[in-house]
Amino acid sequence: MFQNENVIEKQTNKLNVLANVFAIKNVVIYIISFMLSMVGLGGEFSIFSISMFGACMASSVPVLGVVLVSLLGNLIKYGVGGALGYFLTALVLVVTLLIIKPIYNEKERNEKIKIGKHLWISVLIIQIIKLAMSGFTLYDVLSGITVSIIGLVFYKIFVNATIVLQDFWTKRAFTIEELIGASLILAIAVGAFGNLNLFGFNIKNILSILIVMVLGWKNGILVGTTAGVTIGVTLGVITGSEPIMIAAYSLSGMLAGILNQFGKIGVVIGFALGNVLLAYVSNGYTVELIHFKEILIAFVGLLAVPNNLSIELEEFIGNKKLLPITPDRALNKSKEVAENLNHVSQAIQEMATTYQQAGKDSYDANKQIFITELLSNLEPYQDNMLYEDMADTEGKIIEQIFAFLLDKQEIDRQALLEIFANCNSYIVGFEDKEVSQYLEENISQIVRMINVSYKVAKSDFIWKKRVEENQKNMGKQLDGVSKAIEKMAKGIEEDIQKEGQYEKQKTEIMELLKQRNILVSDISIKKEGRYLLEVFLNEILETAKIETIEKIVTQVLKEKIVLNEEATIGKKLSFLSDDRYVMAIGTGETTKNKSELSGDAMLNVRLKDGKYLVAISDGMGTGTKARQSSTQSLRMLENLLLSGFDKNISLDLINTSLMNQNTEIFATLDIAIIDLYEGNIEFIKSAACPTYIKNNKKVQIIKSNSLPTGMLEGNHIQSFDRDITSGDILVMCSDGILDANIEYKNKELWIKYMLEDIETTNTNKIADLILNEAIDNTFGNIKDDMSIMVCKFKEKED
């Protein structure tokens, strides 16, 4: 009897195991694993499939099904070698688990078995064996190590995301890391469709758009933005998309999340708006970034998603709204977000322009390399009947041949004949046997010569070098863009959370305003050194009432508060603590002789936090190119800082953007960020001229020794801090002024001595005196553009 019970129990256990293997939640994992195994990064098998295998082992998912479908996927995509590489790596992973005992933690939510180091070791072992069998270079060794690190990184991502794929329909809540990890898995998985089209529409793109829309629809701005960045970067890495495409997914996901309160219609409008906005700023909307028809098809898919679908985040569960239900405030916040997005878009436009210009320059340079090699190899074939057509390097035939080679890497007889026909140059006579043989010999000679020329020329192409540089720069730029967008996305939530700190003052202000018949819907108060306030009105107020608000807020906060006109939008009034210093600014400039355009650019703008940005940029050389680099630098700096970018990231983005254009465009940056409330100046210099601080007869010199922006990757930009003293006069100038005097070996001294002798404190007069002296020093023959800015500080009287 007991024996029968044991037999029944064993049979039941086998059935339970079998049922678990084919459970719906695990079948989903198998399908995803199969799709991941069809996507790679150019190796001999899909590294993603190994990462998924490790993640399933660590998460106690039945791995037999995962192994089988992954073997099949690698076999289809990479052939027998790919399937063998995957199998051996998985086998080595199992062996390492037997040799090095992993750490078990059943209480862990996701990674129940810690096997990250085992997976890294197994991938590295297979890479080493492969290199040992085939011979290798140092580059091959570094590539093998990189592959193993990539496997580990994606294992860490996947192991925290499998729970979403398994338990999605159980209505449980997930962390944002789990949800974004799952969106990353899906983004990579849809790459299995490659360039597969249905009625001319790319399936991979449609599914990627749908994922971003769904996440933005259900979870709003934060998840929509993060999903857009994640999926955009993933598609960029796997498919080699342009950087502007990544920005398009990021911005579209953000706007979809912002408009999710209007349902599915709002989501698709937001996504389409982000696409249109970036297409406009990057190329004038001459080319769609994300095809509008694909967005519409994805929207149809979104409509098919049940409205009761729930994607809960642990951090945001509950009925409490992130923003109070006040239409006027929401409207004003939307205007503020729109303004921030405008600055982000303008910054991205500048970055996109650099990539487009870099691509055009590389194309023209590589084409010239190919033509030079082609003409050299063509010389022995002057008797060939196609010689004249091939020697016409300005004609359409050469242009089309080069374009074909860039796409296909090699040309054949049929392709060459089609190109000649497209250019109205037809080759006839194949019906005559003798003539036909002569033609075939001539055509074969040219085909062989073209392919040899391209193969040789390709080794000299600057394309690869430029791609490698651009990939590094793209990574830095995207990192900065994503951080700024993330900061913007979190800004509203953080502000709301901090408001409780000043709830008492807020209530008192609203009550006092009500007594004066000034009705407001809400007030936001925060303090970052100085007070920053936002007052949300029910109607536009006259000046007298705005002054009343200033007096009441000053009374309650016990600190003088004034209107910040630069940050006031619509019915949202912005106030801040009054500056403790006043500043007067004077400027002067002139251009080089016989030059219509100055290569210098100046900027003076107030930032949203109340600080002032004063800057001079000197483009290397004179004329249009110099002006282009200097104005672009300052324009990017202004837009980046106004839209929330960290100043260090902003300067790094400017540096990499200038590097992308070509190696001969640089710009100096001389920046002063002036805080008239705290009484402090931060000087930021990149190969800029010295800055002079005059107070009475004493003159201090602040200088740096860094290289111009855009010259070197990771260029070191120096910064200095200095407290303001009442009566300080700050002088910034370009090198055209500094180099004008040839009497002093140390050229910075002549301005110092002149400032010591100047009696006036009028900023415009000081600028004119120094500028005129510089012009006189050149005897009227101005050899370089000259620009000068003078700022005077005075402490306010109580």
Side-chain angles (χ1 to χ4, degrees):
M1 178 178 177
F2 291 110
Q3 185 176 359
N4 290 335
E5 288 180 356
N6 290 334
V7 171
I8 293 172
E9 184 178 354
K10 289 180 180 180
Q11 291 176 342
T12 303
N13 290 337
K14 289 180 181 180
L15 290 174
N16 289 336
V17 171
L18 193 61
N20 185 40
V21 169
F22 292 102
I24 296 296
K25 64 179 184 179
N26 290 329
V27 171
V28 172
I29 296 289
Y30 303 154
I31 295 172
I32 296 296
S33 298
F34 174 72
M35 297 176 72
L36 288 174
S37 65
M38 299 280 286
V39 182
L41 295 175
E44 296 180 354
F45 65 91
S46 171
I47 189 64
F48 300 124
S49 59
I50 282 296
S51 298
M52 190 63 176
F53 172 69
C56 290
M57 290 187 70
S59 304
S60 300
V61 175
V63 294
L64 178 59
V66 173
V67 171
L68 292 177
V69 297
S70 298
L71 275 172
L72 179 60
N74 277 285
L75 179 64
I76 295 172
K77 179 68 176 180
Y78 298 97
V80 176
L84 182 61
Y86 170 80
F87 177 76
L88 291 176
T89 307
L91 183 62
V92 173
L93 174 57
V94 174
V95 172
T96 57
L97 289 172
L98 297 175
I99 298 174
I100 306 173
K101 296 297 181 183
I103 299 173
Y104 291 84
N105 186 3
E106 287 298 327
K107 295 181 180 180
E108 178 68 32
R109 175 178 169 122
N110 297 319
E111 194 177 9
K112 300 181 183 301
I113 311 174
K114 307 287 185 179
I115 64 171
K117 63 182 179 182
H118 301 79
L119 185 137
W120 179 77
I121 292 172
S122 61
V123 175
L124 187 60
I125 288 174
I126 294 300
Q127 294 297 312
I128 291 173
I129 293 174
K130 182 187 73 173
L131 294 177
M133 294 175 62
S134 59
F136 59 88
T137 62
L138 178 60
Y139 173 81
D140 296 323
V141 174
L142 294 176
S143 297
I145 295 173
T146 301
V147 169
S148 62
I149 293 173
I150 291 173
L152 176 60
V153 169
F154 280 96
Y155 158 77
K156 286 294 185 182
I157 296 173
F158 292 173
V159 78
N160 288 305
T162 52
I163 187 174
V164 180
L165 302 177
Q166 283 189 300
D167 299 343
F168 182 79
W169 300 106
T170 60
K171 304 295 184 183
R172 68 177 297 176
F174 305 105
T175 66
I176 190 170
E177 290 82 5
E178 291 170 346
L179 188 60
I180 295 304
S183 70
L184 179 59
I185 289 180
L186 293 177
I188 298 173
V190 298
F193 291 104
N195 295 321
L196 181 63
N197 293 329
L198 185 62
F199 303 113
F201 303 111
N202 190 280
I203 296 176
K204 174 188 64 187
N205 293 343
I206 294 171
L207 292 176
S208 298
I209 296 168
L210 181 60
I211 293 170
V212 177
M213 282 186 177
V214 170
L215 292 175
W217 169 48
K218 300 308 297 184
N219 295 101
I221 180 174
L222 180 60
V223 175
T225 303
T226 312
V229 173
T230 303
I231 291 175
V233 171
T234 301
L235 292 177
V237 171
I238 294 175
T239 65
S241 302
E242 290 291 328
I244 194 67
M245 283 293 296
I246 303 172
Y249 272 96
S250 306
L251 189 57
S252 298
M254 182 179 187
L255 289 177
I258 290 175
L259 299 181
N260 75 328
Q261 58 184 309
F262 300 108
K264 296 177 180 178
I265 297 294
V267 169
V268 71
I269 290 175
F271 196 97
L273 182 61
N275 178 48
V276 170
L277 179 63
L278 276 188
Y280 177 76
V281 299
S282 65
N283 58 50
Y285 203 68
T286 55
V287 180
E288 290 180 309
L289 297 178
I290 304 173
H291 294 303
F292 191 69
K293 291 181 180 179
E294 293 178 346
I295 296 176
L296 289 180
I297 296 173
F299 175 56
V300 173
L302 182 64
L303 291 176
V305 177
N307 289 327
N308 60 359
L309 175 70
S310 177
I311 307 176
E312 299 288 0
L313 292 180
E314 286 186 346
E315 292 88 340
F316 305 136
I317 291 179
N319 296 322
K320 183 179 179 181
K321 300 295 183 183
L322 293 178
L323 292 174
I325 305 175
T326 41
D328 288 339
R329 172 167 183 173
L331 178 61
N332 283 295
K333 273 293 182 184
S334 296
K335 289 181 179 178
E336 184 178 0
V337 170
E339 184 186 10
N340 286 338
L341 289 176
N342 185 46
H343 290 305
V344 171
S345 299
Q346 291 176 25
I348 292 174
Q349 179 186 15
E350 298 295 335
M351 297 175 201
T353 301
T354 64
Y355 280 103
Q356 292 167 357
Q357 185 62 40
K360 184 179 183 302
D361 292 345
S362 296
Y363 180 90
D364 293 341
N366 292 335
K367 178 184 171 185
Q368 191 57 49
I369 292 172
F370 167 68
I371 289 175
T372 301
E373 186 65 31
L374 180 71
L375 292 177
S376 175
N377 292 331
L378 186 64
E379 193 62 30
Y381 300 104
Q382 294 187 22
D383 294 334
N384 191 293
M385 61 172 291
L386 303 180
Y387 176 83
E388 291 186 3
D389 291 306
M390 297 301 300
D392 181 13
T393 57
E394 300 296 327
K396 293 182 179 180
I397 291 178
I398 293 298
E399 176 69 31
Q400 291 192 22
I401 288 175
F402 183 65
F404 184 90
L405 289 169
L406 288 178
D407 184 36
K408 303 297 184 181
Q409 302 299 307
E410 190 174 69
I411 198 169
D412 57 19
R413 171 187 179 278
Q414 185 61 35
L416 183 64
L417 293 178
E418 288 177 1
I419 289 174
F420 269 77
N422 291 338
C423 298
N424 297 319
S425 181
Y426 298 93
I427 301 175
V428 296
F430 290 103
E431 63 279 358
D432 187 310
K433 186 175 181 181
E434 292 185 4
V435 174
S436 176
Q437 184 177 356
Y438 172 74
L439 288 175
E440 290 293 353
E441 290 176 357
N442 279 252
I443 293 171
S444 297
Q445 284 179 347
I446 296 300
V447 168
R448 186 167 55 254
M449 185 270 302
I450 291 173
N451 288 328
V452 169
S453 299
Y454 182 75
K455 189 173 183 179
V456 173
K458 193 164 64 170
S459 63
D460 294 328
F461 278 2
I462 62 170
W463 206 294
K464 292 182 179 179
K465 296 177 183 177
R466 176 62 82 180
V467 167
E468 290 174 0
E469 293 172 2
N470 282 354
Q471 285 177 341
K472 291 180 182 178
N473 294 339
M474 181 184 72
K476 292 181 180 180
Q477 290 185 343
L478 291 175
D479 182 59
V481 172
S482 64
K483 286 179 180 177
I485 294 178
E486 181 182 4
K487 178 181 178 182
M488 195 185 308
K490 290 182 178 179
I492 297 174
E493 299 166 12
E494 292 178 351
D495 290 347
I496 297 299
Q497 292 172 0
K498 292 179 180 178
E499 284 182 4
Q501 184 178 354
Y502 296 99
E503 194 64 34
K504 180 180 177 181
Q505 292 89 332
K506 171 182 169 181
T507 303
E508 184 178 353
I509 292 170
M510 293 185 73
E511 184 60 33
L512 291 172
L513 290 175
K514 186 176 181 182
Q515 294 174 11
R516 301 292 184 91
N517 293 320
I518 300 175
L519 301 180
V520 300
S521 58
D522 199 7
I523 296 177
S524 169
I525 304 175
K526 61 181 178 180
K527 190 169 187 180
E528 297 175 359
R530 73 202 312 167
Y531 281 109
L532 299 172
L533 294 86
E534 292 178 340
V535 178
F536 299 90
L537 304 170
N538 293 331
E539 60 181 358
I540 302 296
L541 297 181
E542 58 191 25
T543 304
K545 287 190 175 182
I546 294 177
E547 292 174 352
T548 300
I549 296 176
E550 287 182 343
K551 293 176 182 178
I552 290 174
V553 175
T554 297
Q555 174 189 333
V556 173
L557 297 180
K558 297 179 175 56
E559 187 172 318
K560 187 173 181 182
I561 305 296
V562 295
L563 180 70
N564 183 6
E565 295 182 4
E566 288 84 354
T568 294
I569 305 172
K571 296 179 183 179
K572 185 206 74 175
L573 300 181
S574 291
F575 298 87
L576 44 67
S577 301
D578 191 20
D579 292 332
R580 294 169 181 167
Y581 292 83
V582 292
M583 177 176 66
I585 297 181
T587 62
E589 61 180 328
T590 188
T591 60
K592 177 184 176 181
N593 279 355
K594 299 181 181 180
S595 178
E596 296 181 358
L597 195 64
S598 173
D600 298 344
M602 293 186 286
L603 175 67
N604 171 28
V605 65
R606 192 174 197 183
L607 303 176
K608 290 184 178 179
D609 60 1
K611 297 177 183 178
Y612 289 86
L613 171 65
V614 176
I616 294 179
S617 179
D618 180 4
M620 293 295 98
T622 58
T624 304
K625 285 190 175 181
R627 182 72 174 185
Q628 175 188 344
S629 58
S630 62
T631 54
Q632 181 183 4
S633 297
L634 292 189
R635 192 164 57 240
M636 282 187 66
L637 180 67
E638 179 182 4
N639 286 319
L640 291 168
L641 292 179
L642 285 174
S643 57
F645 280 60
D646 175 78
K647 63 178 181 296
N648 292 322
I649 293 175
S650 300
L651 294 169
D652 198 25
L653 288 174
I654 295 169
N655 185 57
T656 54
S657 293
L658 291 182
M659 285 180 64
N660 283 338
Q661 294 185 54
N662 62 57
T663 56
E664 297 178 356
I665 289 187
F666 319 115
T668 68
L669 281 175
D670 196 359
I671 301 166
I673 298 177
I674 303 167
D675 189 340
L676 296 178
Y677 176 78
E678 295 288 352
N680 179 269
I681 307 176
E682 182 179 9
F683 299 97
I684 303 172
K685 290 183 171 290
S686 173
C689 292
T691 296
Y692 302 86
I693 306 289
K694 170 182 171 66
N695 197 308
N696 295 321
K697 293 291 184 179
K698 184 179 179 182
V699 178
Q700 179 187 359
I701 300 177
I702 298 173
K703 58 184 179 180
S704 73
N705 55 5
S706 58
L707 292 172
T709 304
M711 180 170 285
L712 291 177
E713 178 186 351
N715 189 20
H716 179 61
I717 297 175
Q718 297 177 311
S719 61
F720 314 86
D721 285 318
R722 186 187 187 278
D723 292 333
I724 296 174
T725 301
S726 185
D728 279 348
I729 296 175
L730 178 150
V731 177
M732 302 165 60
C733 65
S734 63
D735 60 2
I737 288 180
L738 193 70
D739 296 338
N741 190 296
I742 59 176
E743 293 181 10
Y744 291 93
K745 185 175 182 180
N746 188 349
K747 298 194 176 190
E748 65 195 38
L749 292 178
W750 80 267
I751 297 179
K752 178 179 184 294
Y753 296 150
M754 185 174 182
L755 284 171
E756 290 174 346
D757 294 335
I758 289 178
E759 297 292 338
T760 182
T761 59
N762 183 288
T763 54
N764 281 315
K765 287 184 178 179
I766 294 174
D768 289 341
L769 285 171
I770 295 176
L771 180 62
N772 290 330
E773 181 67 20
I775 294 173
D776 290 343
N777 286 337
T778 64
F779 303 101
N781 182 25
I782 304 173
K783 298 180 179 180
D784 196 3
D785 303 314
M786 298 181 179
S787 299
I788 183 169
M789 298 183 77
V790 181
C791 304
K792 180 177 69 176
F793 307 101
K794 184 179 180 181
E795 190 169 8
K796 288 184 177 180
E797 297 178 359
D798 295 333

